[in-house]
Amino acid sequence: MLRFAFKDGTTEQQKAQVLALMRKTASVESVSFATVGQSLGDPADGLTHAYCVGIEDLAALERYMHDPVHLAGDPEILPHLAKIAIGPDLSDDMAPELAGEIMALHEKKAALHPEWAAQLEPLLETHVASEPSDRP
């Protein structure tokens, strides 16, 4: 789950292009289902849009994170965003170590793609939890 806000001054055409790129990323083979659109959360948090993908397991998550479509889309998407809140927010896998395993995949991607990590870091409002107890 990703909730985000566009930068002030982003045109409607640019917003539409970003959402189209997100939908393209959400259609890669490792994604089981997806939705991209308005955020229905608290308007006071300032996050206006959401991107949610269902991913079967950690192997599919790793494929998703490194998919060429995903890697190509982020440099075109991130410059238009003001802030991002990233999960993981939920899972039907009850393994207590799951959040840490997901964080390890994120850290691996950041190490392999430092330019991506540097572009993403200033936008992050919520970081992936390293331990389940860190989550509210």
Side-chain angles (χ1 to χ4, degrees), residues 13-76:
Q13 182 179 11
Q14 290 169 323
K15 290 177 184 180
Q17 178 64 21
V18 166
L19 296 175
L21 287 166
M22 288 181 166
R23 288 182 183 104
K24 183 176 180 180
T25 299
S27 70
V28 299
E29 74 69 34
S30 53
V31 174
S32 299
F33 65 87
T35 190
V36 179
Q38 68 173 319
S39 175
L40 300 176
D42 184 353
D45 68 13
L47 300 166
T48 58
H49 290 77
Y51 171 93
C52 179
V53 292
I55 298 178
E56 185 175 356
D57 55 26
L58 288 172
L61 177 59
E62 188 164 22
R63 288 192 314 276
Y64 166 78
M65 293 173 85
H66 299 278
D67 190 288
V69 171
H70 193 173
L71 294 174
D74 280 354
E76 295 183 55

Side-chain angles (χ1 to χ4, degrees), residues 92-108:
D92 59 0
D93 181 339
M94 299 303 291
E97 66 279 357
L98 182 60
E101 292 172 340
I102 292 170
M103 185 62 189
L105 290 176
H106 170 77
E107 289 171 353
K108 178 181 175 183

